[in-house]
Amino acid sequence: MAHSTVGVIFSNVHDENIPELSRHRTMASVPFGGRYRLIDFALSNMVNSGITTVGIVTKNNYQSLIDHLGSGKEWDLARKDGGIILLPPYSDETDKPYTTRLEALMSITGFLNHRKEDYVVISDCDGIAHMDIADIVRFHEEKQADITMVYHEEKIPCESSYFITLEPDKKSGRVKGLKINPADLRKGKKYNLYVNVMVMSREFLIGTIQDAVTRGFSSFGRDILTKNVDTLKIYGYEFKGFYAGVNSMEDYYRHSMELLDRNVRDELFGNRDIYTKVRDSAPSKYLDGAIVRNTLVSDGCVIEGTVENCILFRGVKVGKGSMIRNSVIMQDTVIGENVTLDCVITDKNVVIRDRRTLAGCAELPYFISKGRML
Amino acid sequence: MLRKKECVAMLLAGGQGSRLYALTNNIAKPAVAFGAKYRIIDFPLSNCINSGIDTVGVLTQYEPLELNEYIGNGQPWDLDRAFGGVHILSPYQAKTKQSWFEGTANAIYQNMHFMKKYSPDYILILSGDHIYKMDYAKMLRAHKKTGADCTIAAIEVPLSEASRFGILNTNPDGSIYEFEEKPKVPKSNLASMGIYIFTAEKLYKYLEADDANANSSKDFGKDVLPAMLNAGEKMFSYRFEGYWKDVGTISSLWESNMDLLGREPGFDVGDPAWKIHSRNPLAPPEYIGPTAAIGNSMIALGCEIEGSVEHSVLASNVIVEEGATVRDAVLMAGTVVKRGAVVEYCVVDEKVVIGEGAHVGEPKASGAGIAVLGRNITVAAGAKVRGGVILDKDYKGE
């Protein structure tokens, strides 16, 4: 069934969740988990469910994304028919580049019209989860739904971000209520949060887009979902596994640290592959004097100091006498000797010279932007 | 425009590598794992692409399945090309004859049509048995500069070991006046590395002559090179200085793995200026647990380390449970060392399970030698495997 599904990934939506990390890149290409980018999870879910064509909607700063995806061969998506198809913004004398999700969908109707698959799965890149897309499509077919929205029951981590909450019927799954950014959200209380993965038939999606064009709609959420909760067959598919939504820097940090939990790793990485770009780095080296505990280490690292409760990305160097704790250290960061870091996130290519001491806290990790030298 | 390649490389990868015992029961020597994520053949292939040589014929014969699968379309080495790229050349059946490759020279002779397709000026002959980084383009420049018909890469070896090699006796200008295959009393310590550049037309001529010679053993070192020298062809040595290791024995394979370790390693695979390309394992970053203790080691993606690892090389997805000790060991992909087990001074092939409390190998200082465990075997809990022992079946103890 999944062979008859085409994927669409929005690479830029939610960029504003973590502006520090998405200033120079799309949400899709935000690094995560030592050797991945956020899009790797959405793409791998699709590929592992048998999807062979994925359109990737881009808007801003997508050089790093193009560099990451290449021809798509790492995801087995370098295909004669389909594969990865980049869908950059379109504009001419009358049409400006899109500003909303609905306008973005309008701008890719050409792509949708040319495909032959029965279903479309639309996913954003703000969630990290191991999702069986084929099962969601099966659910959609069984329910003969117009729209299937995937939700996850969780406490909301912050009140400021943009959320859609669902009220699905306990028995049938039919969505009876749908609220966009409800005013009464309370931190710490459980909600059925929509996780930005939805399934529709391709035909229904194209029809809906055409209808929206004629009526001059601009918001998918407000003009299509909330207005039609009673008339459309919208179903909620509950995702019960580990789900990490990245709504803020605090979330990003917390979810990174959750990878140190074996159960989380087993769920995300066990029994299946997460595909990503390879760099042909050498395996990591642990030199005499290194002390490494409760840490994920990617390839190409050289460690001579102490590292505890950290995520080390590819090519990180930790010098002698340095003490790195509770930190996320991104690709090619070089940490000199006798440096002390606690609750720090470094972006790519940061250099921290000898004897520096930096610390943040779990709620507000200290962030060092790409290429900075301290 | 004439479609041609200036230089085509031919990589001899058919060897059984019988001195690697259990490690080559089912795979050819060039496919043997090395350095936590590599296989031996990654080194000559990476050298080729880093030297600008993008057309490589790989001659396989012994247990080629895994090697063929590993090379695939050559994409990991950037050798998937519309014209050129890497090609597997297996023995084949022809209208008038059918035969296995009989010797190194015969293997190349049987694939002359492959080389000729690219109208090369030069042919580079390589073997898949060595760990080294070498810029073949420099050697090719030297070959052109001297106007040689054949250039042989050579390295100085200790005189005491020289009788294990093909020895080149050269004039001050580097030209070769004598070639001795494994001499009892070597006159020099300049050893052939088994890397040759031939001017293509000369190679074709001497391979044809060699094929017609019923007394020939069809070997480059024993037959073709001496024949060229006797006929007065211009043959030069090309001095190579740097790391070069034949990993054809268990002890040299172990040593070469250990040469990767340390701040200033004997051999550096992490040099960004000369990347070693390989087919990468699909695995998450390695996890080093709260009870782990790691000293002077190399650890690949996907490992889960909760025990102690000292002076060892661990390939992808190796698991070392809490309370287990790994010391002076080479562990290949997917091997599991259970709680309380001790694994020392040994080479362990892929997907071996070492049971709880088992003890594999003996300390290096004991003189008992390197223990070797073949693929997919299980060492029972509490069992003891002595140093120097080679196992290729499940083991329950003595």
Side-chain angles (χ1 to χ4, degrees):
Chain A
M1 266 169 277
H3 66 270
S4 190
T5 305
V6 60
V8 172
I9 291 180
F10 281 84
S11 65
N12 282 105
V13 187
H14 315 290
D15 280 3
E16 68 286 355
N17 288 3
I18 41 172
E20 297 93 331
L21 283 168
S22 60
R23 184 175 302 154
H24 301 292
R25 49 169 87 90
T26 61
M27 188 72 174
S29 43
V30 166
F32 186 81
R35 58 190 306 259
Y36 305 100
R37 306 284 185 138
L38 289 181
I39 195 173
D40 292 337
F41 296 91
L43 262 185
S44 299
N45 282 337
M46 291 185 180
V47 170
N48 288 330
S49 298
I51 291 174
T52 57
T53 301
V54 183
I56 295 177
V57 182
T58 64
K59 189 174 184 194
N60 302 316
N61 295 334
Y62 54 91
Q63 292 97 329
S64 65
L65 182 63
I66 290 178
D67 176 59
H68 180 68
L69 295 174
S71 66
K73 63 181 178 241
E74 322 283 12
W75 296 264
D76 203 16
L77 287 174
R79 298 296 181 102
K80 233 175 188 176
D81 176 24
I84 278 182
I85 295 168
L86 280 176
L87 302 166
Y90 175 85
S91 69
D92 58 19
E93 295 92 2
T94 53
D95 287 339
K96 290 203 180 81
Y98 72 85
T99 55
T100 68
R101 186 190 297 274
L102 184 58
E103 286 169 13
L105 287 170
M106 290 170 182
S107 76
I108 66 162
T109 39
F111 165 75
L112 294 170
N113 278 324
H114 277 105
R115 296 310 311 170
K116 295 184 188 73
E117 288 83 355
D118 296 329
Y119 298 101
V120 184
V121 55
I122 298 177
S123 173
D124 295 349
C125 293
D126 61 326
I128 298 138
H130 171 194
M131 245 179 234
D132 183 350
I133 305 287
D135 194 56
I136 302 169
V137 173
R138 245 185 325 265
F139 173 91
H140 181 84
E141 275 186 327
E142 271 168 29
K143 299 288 179 190
Q144 297 185 311
D146 292 319
I147 301 174
T148 295
M149 299 174 76
V150 181
Y151 69 90
H152 183 247
E153 192 191 46
E154 61 178 295
K155 292 176 188 166
I156 65 149
C158 55
E159 289 163 28
S160 57
S161 199
Y162 181 90
F163 295 108
I164 295 178
T165 60
L166 304 183
E167 286 169 50
D169 181 79
K170 279 211 175 72
K171 259 191 192 157
S172 69
R174 174 92 185 244
V175 173
K176 299 174 297 180
L178 186 154
K179 287 184 187 157
I180 295 177
N181 243 9
D184 56 349
L185 279 187
R186 287 297 163 260
K187 189 172 173 172
K189 211 183 144 210
K190 278 195 169 181
Y191 294 92
N192 292 322
L193 292 185
Y194 169 55
V195 297
N196 298 310
V197 176
M198 92 171 39
V199 173
M200 282 171 271
S201 76
R202 194 171 54 87
E203 204 180 340
F204 175 83
L205 176 59
I206 292 169
T208 304
I209 294 168
Q210 279 166 353
D211 186 55
V213 170
T214 42
R215 292 162 188 256
F217 289 162
S218 65
S219 165
F220 196 86
R222 289 197 169 76
D223 296 329
I224 293 164
L225 295 177
T226 40
K227 275 188 193 157
N228 299 305
V229 160
D230 299 328
T231 48
L232 288 178
K233 282 186 282 176
I234 302 178
Y235 277 80
Y237 174 97
E238 184 175 9
F239 176 69
K240 291 187 172 129
F242 171 79
Y243 176 80
V246 180
N247 301 297
S248 64
M249 225 24 196
E250 189 189 334
D251 275 0
Y252 177 85
Y253 177 77
R254 185 165 49 88
H255 292 315
S256 292
M257 289 299 153
E258 277 168 352
L259 293 176
L260 297 176
D261 180 339
R262 176 181 303 279
N263 298 325
V264 169
R265 283 201 311 281
D266 281 352
E267 199 177 322
L268 273 182
F269 304 117
N271 296 323
R272 64 169 206 146
D273 296 319
I274 307 275
Y275 309 95
T276 190
K277 183 186 178 183
V278 302
R279 216 168 73 124
D280 277 346
S281 311
S284 283
K285 272 167 89 165
Y286 300 74
L287 302 182
D288 275 330
I291 299 173
V292 184
R293 291 196 192 103
N294 194 36
T295 289
L296 277 179
V297 183
S298 306
D299 37 354
C301 293
V302 180
I303 305 172
E304 209 171 354
T306 300
V307 184
E308 272 182 11
N309 310 328
C310 289
I311 312 289
L312 301 190
F313 282 67
R314 299 190 247 211
V316 168
K317 310 278 184 292
V318 179
K320 214 192 289 181
S322 287
M323 186 81 82
I324 317 301
R325 289 205 176 96
N326 309 312
S327 295
V328 177
I329 309 294
M330 288 190 199
Q331 194 169 310
D332 294 328
T333 290
V334 178
I335 297 169
E337 296 183 359
N338 301 308
V339 171
T340 306
L341 303 182
D342 191 7
C343 291
V344 169
I345 299 178
T346 69
D347 204 328
K348 283 173 73 177
N349 298 310
V350 165
V351 177
I352 300 173
R353 280 180 285 199
D354 298 354
R355 294 182 299 283
R356 299 288 188 275
T357 297
L358 297 163
C361 60
E363 295 75 31
L364 191 63
Y366 189 91
F367 177 76
I368 304 170
S369 57
K370 191 172 166 181
R372 281 284 298 279
M373 190 182 278
L374 295 174
Chain B
M1 198 183 90
L2 176 65
R3 300 252 278 170
K4 70 181 278 145
K5 296 283 181 188
E6 185 188 27
C7 183
V8 167
M10 299 294 275
L11 204 168
L12 295 158
Q16 178 180 355
S18 53
R19 286 171 304 151
L20 290 174
Y21 305 103
L23 302 181
T24 51
N25 274 355
N26 303 107
I27 62 171
K29 182 156 83 168
V32 168
F34 175 82
K37 77 177 276 201
Y38 306 101
R39 294 181 187 242
I40 297 169
I41 198 165
D42 288 329
F43 294 86
L45 285 181
S46 298
N47 287 340
C48 279
I49 196 71
N50 292 343
S51 305
I53 294 168
D54 64 7
T55 307
V56 185
V58 178
L59 298 111
T60 65
Q61 179 152 296
Y62 174 80
E63 288 287 351
L65 178 67
E66 191 159 317
L67 185 63
N68 294 355
E69 196 176 277
Y70 184 69
I71 293 172
N73 68 350
Q75 182 268 321
W77 303 271
D78 207 10
L79 286 171
D80 51 335
R81 299 299 175 99
F83 182 65
V86 66
H87 295 265
I88 302 279
L89 304 170
S90 330
Y92 57 91
Q93 195 174 33
K95 196 161 190 181
T96 52
K97 59 175 183 179
Q98 47 183 301
S99 64
W100 294 97
F101 298 152
E102 283 167 44
T104 52
N106 178 257
I108 305 293
Y109 172 77
Q110 289 203 37
N111 288 288
M112 282 222 291
H113 59 287
F114 168 79
M115 300 183 278
K116 285 181 174 172
K117 202 166 75 167
Y118 299 99
S119 316
D121 301 320
Y122 306 100
I123 307 285
L124 168 66
I125 308 285
L126 302 168
S127 69
D129 310 0
H130 298 91
I131 302 297
Y132 65 112
K133 294 186 279 189
M134 181 176 179
D135 188 347
Y136 303 136
K138 276 190 190 160
M139 181 176 171
L140 182 58
R141 278 200 291 277
H143 179 83
K144 287 194 254 185
K145 199 172 162 196
T146 57
D149 301 303
C150 172
T151 300
I152 301 175
I155 189 167
E156 285 185 24
V157 295
L159 199 57
S160 57
E161 288 177 32
S163 55
R164 286 175 37 221
F165 296 92
I167 293 298
L168 307 179
N169 297 319
T170 59
N171 298 308
D173 67 348
S175 60
I176 300 165
Y177 68 85
E178 193 182 21
F179 188 81
E180 292 182 289
E181 186 67 20
K182 296 181 181 153
K184 287 211 176 73
V185 188
K187 287 182 207 143
S188 93
N189 66 339
L190 197 59
S192 162
M193 297 163 69
I195 300 166
Y196 318 120
I197 290 180
F198 290 93
T199 299
E201 293 306 323
K202 291 281 180 181
L203 178 66
Y204 302 154
K205 180 180 153 191
Y206 281 91
L207 285 180
E208 270 157 20
D210 183 64
D211 185 62
N213 178 0
N215 296 322
S216 167
S217 59
K218 315 273 191 273
D219 184 83
F220 273 103
K222 290 190 194 113
D223 307 294
V224 177
L225 298 177
M228 285 182 78
L229 198 62
N230 290 338
E233 302 291 356
K234 258 178 119 176
M235 300 180 80
F236 274 78
S237 63
Y238 171 80
R239 288 289 189 105
F240 175 77
E241 281 166 7
Y243 188 93
W244 177 76
K245 194 138 192 155
D246 181 340
V247 286
T249 64
I250 295 291
S251 62
S252 62
L253 181 69
W254 182 89
E255 275 167 28
S256 199
N257 271 287
M258 296 305 153
D259 287 341
L260 305 174
L261 302 178
R263 186 202 263 264
E264 316 255 314
F267 185 65
D268 184 10
V269 284
D271 179 6
W274 199 268
K275 266 198 178 180
I276 307 302
H277 306 281
S278 68
R279 203 170 274 283
N280 284 260
L282 276 169
E286 65 257 28
Y287 175 71
I288 313 299
T291 52
I294 302 177
N296 196 25
S297 291
M298 181 174 259
I299 297 179
L301 294 172
C303 287
E304 299 258 341
I305 313 293
E306 307 269 7
S308 149
V309 178
E310 176 67 34
H311 194 244
S312 294
V313 174
L314 274 53
S316 59
N317 301 314
V318 165
I319 295 172
V320 179
E321 292 187 358
E322 195 177 339
T325 300
V326 176
R327 192 186 303 129
D328 297 322
V330 175
L331 307 186
M332 296 181 189
T335 280
V336 179
V337 182
K338 300 262 190 189
R339 204 170 277 266
V342 177
V343 178
E344 58 187 328
Y345 198 39
C346 58
V347 176
V348 179
D349 206 338
E350 293 176 11
K351 299 193 182 92
V352 169
V353 177
I354 296 163
E356 228 176 279
H359 195 130
V360 173
E362 291 175 54
K364 189 166 177 247
S366 75
I370 300 169
V372 178
L373 303 185
R375 229 173 235 217
N376 290 320
I377 68 171
T378 298
V379 175
K384 187 168 166 49
V385 179
R386 287 177 191 285
V389 164
I390 296 168
L391 291 180
D392 59 5
K393 286 190 187 72
D394 288 355
Y395 183 76
K396 294 205 166 63
E398 286 170 355

